[in-house]
Amino acid sequence: MLIKTRKQIHESEVTDERHFLNRRKLIQGFAGVGALASMPASALVLPGEDNLPRYDNPRWLTDRFANLATTYQAQDKLSPYKTAITHNNFYEFGLDKSDPYELAQSFNTDPWKIEITGEVENPTTFYLEDLLKMVDLEERIYRFRCVEAWSMVVPWIGFEFGKLIKQLNPTSKAKYVEFVTLADEKQMPGLRSIWSSIDWPYREGLRMDEALNPLTLLAVGLYGQAMPPQNGAPIRLIVPWKYGFKSVKSIVAIKFRETMPENTWRLTAPNEYGFYANVNPKVDHPRWSQATERRLPSSLFSPNIIDTEMFNGYGEEVAHLYTGMDLRQWY
Ligand code: MTE
């Protein structure tokens, strides 16, 4: 976020999301004859998308992606698949928007372990495969808004974090949740970069009631397939009413805490970033007005600027979490 994008994707390069919708119809068709479970998403090659990579589920996840219900659907037009997988912020793989797509393809995310620690009855380390047995997967189409004032609309596959929290039995002292990303210098060139000002690992946090809100998702896929490495494989957070930097990628530890955790951007530039990071058109970032946003794809001739909504349009579901708080102070 400290560095501006050098390369913009031109609208004409972007695959129309109708292909995605066609693919969904195709998926439904296959599901109807019971064939999807044995068909990897990557096998479905779409017109105009044949030059884009598809991401195979690990063997143990394939069955779980069949017949997923879409349980939450923003009314907005979906962003093109190409935009979602090539315009990324994942500083562990570089500073440019295209770096994660170019440099993360061999990121090894299977097997994957997640440590659950802190204020829980039984601190445990799970293989992701086992953790996912505790939950049902669903598809949710959410708006996704970055503090850099661009936004997308993405169909995520994941599960409600709150449903997992209840099974992990946090103690009465657990007031916050901290999330930590893998920090592996061998695989992540951004960690070796002399230009990086981040104190790795990347970490983020939520207040317990935010973590328990039904909108808060732990996502393991997008567009009907496994999470691409550049989007935070194999598991990441999605908090749709907050700026995208809260949605931490490639999570290896979840810690229940009594005190508010540090978060990467607040540590890096405390004058610019807070803990809450709620989307708020009335509170500008020092370098980006938050009144409007560029809905991607956007170009010089077709900037696609729209008004930003308070809480990214999710106020009905989350405004009550902040009753009595001055959101100018708690930004
Ligand atoms: N998580 C980690 N570990 N590292 C990062 O650099 N970037 C954040 C967030 N999660 C980031 C991260 C920011 S700034 C944004 S806007 C979103 O991921 C981008 O998600 P996307 O690439 O899937 O669009």
Side-chain angles (χ1 to χ4, degrees):
M1 279 179 293
L2 298 172
I3 305 290
K4 284 201 179 133
T5 320
R6 278 209 297 266
K7 297 169 211 159
Q8 291 290 350
I9 304 159
H10 190 269
E11 195 159 21
S12 62
E13 291 173 57
V14 172
T15 309
D16 197 279
E17 75 281 2
R18 271 172 303 160
H19 295 318
F20 170 66
L21 294 172
N22 287 342
R23 179 166 170 268
R24 284 172 60 101
K25 277 196 200 127
L26 200 60
I27 287 173
Q28 282 157 9
F30 276 117
V33 293
L36 182 69
S38 57
M39 169 165 279
S42 57
L44 304 171
V45 178
L46 303 172
E49 285 193 349
D50 5 346
N51 56 347
L52 288 179
R54 320 288 313 170
Y55 295 90
D56 280 328
N57 298 318
R59 161 195 44 77
W60 45 268
L61 200 53
T62 304
D63 290 352
R64 304 289 304 279
F65 273 45
N67 301 320
L68 287 177
T70 303
T71 55
Y72 201 102
Q73 188 153 9
Q75 290 314 305
D76 313 45
K77 199 172 150 196
L78 277 182
S79 298
Y81 172 62
K82 180 171 182 175
T83 309
I85 67 159
T86 59
H87 181 280
N88 300 104
N89 279 337
F90 198 172
Y91 293 99
E92 286 85 337
F93 290 96
L95 298 172
D96 265 6
K97 293 286 177 285
S98 56
D99 284 343
Y101 175 74
E102 283 164 16
L103 302 174
Q105 297 308 318
S106 53
F107 182 30
N108 184 4
T109 60
D110 184 28
W112 190 266
K113 287 187 198 165
I114 302 185
E115 198 189 4
I116 309 285
T117 59
E119 294 297 338
V120 270
E121 267 173 26
N122 297 311
T124 319
T125 298
F126 289 95
Y127 279 104
L128 179 59
E129 177 174 359
D130 296 328
L131 187 85
L132 291 182
K133 286 180 188 149
M134 298 164 71
V135 290
D136 290 325
L137 297 183
E138 52 194 83
E139 180 178 67
R140 294 198 182 183
I141 302 176
Y142 282 159
R143 290 178 291 278
F144 186 76
R145 169 66 156 80
C146 178
V147 72
E148 296 163 337
W150 52 261
S151 63
M152 298 191 204
V153 182
V154 179
W156 304 104
I157 295 166
F159 60 91
E160 245 181 73
F161 183 39
K163 291 187 179 167
L164 177 68
I165 293 181
K166 286 173 192 148
Q167 298 178 66
L168 296 173
N169 296 323
T171 71
S172 58
K173 284 189 181 165
K175 303 281 186 293
Y176 295 89
V177 189
E178 179 179 10
F179 304 86
V180 184
T181 293
L182 178 75
D184 180 355
E185 278 198 14
K186 284 196 203 94
Q187 296 200 75
M188 298 169 148
L191 271 62
R192 307 189 298 264
S193 164
I194 54 162
W195 305 111
S196 167
S197 50
I198 293 177
D199 179 16
W200 309 105
Y202 192 101
R203 63 204 102 144
E204 257 306 339
L206 293 175
R207 219 172 52 190
M208 195 64 171
D209 55 351
E210 297 177 320
L212 286 166
N213 186 278
L215 286 183
T216 303
L217 200 70
L218 280 178
V220 293
L222 47 66
Y223 294 82
Q225 60 185 344
M227 189 66 75
Q230 62 272 29
N231 293 89
I235 184 163
R236 71 175 296 180
L237 186 67
I238 297 295
V239 198
W241 71 96
K242 293 179 180 283
Y243 294 120
F245 67 85
K246 296 297 285 183
S247 292
V248 47
K249 297 179 170 183
S250 305
I251 297 167
V252 288
I254 297 177
K255 300 181 188 170
F256 291 88
R257 300 174 50 121
E258 195 168 6
T259 52
M260 184 184 275
E262 295 289 1
N263 53 311
T264 287
W265 289 106
R266 192 164 52 125
L267 278 171
T268 311
N271 50 330
E272 297 189 7
Y273 302 98
F275 175 78
Y276 283 94
N278 292 315
V279 175
N280 189 340
K282 296 200 180 109
V283 178
D284 285 338
H285 181 275
R287 282 174 289 129
W288 299 285
S289 159
Q290 299 299 341
T292 59
E293 64 202 55
R294 286 184 300 123
R295 177 62 54 85
L296 300 182
S298 133
S299 66
L300 197 57
F301 299 110
S302 178
N304 211 10
I305 307 283
I306 57 174
D307 286 342
T308 290
E309 290 183 73
M310 185 66 204
F311 298 117
N312 203 21
Y314 297 101
E316 211 171 293
E317 290 95 335
V318 301
H320 67 276
L321 298 172
Y322 310 102
T323 309
M325 280 175 74
D326 177 356
L327 297 180
R328 286 188 177 277
Q329 186 190 343
W330 300 104
Y331 56 88

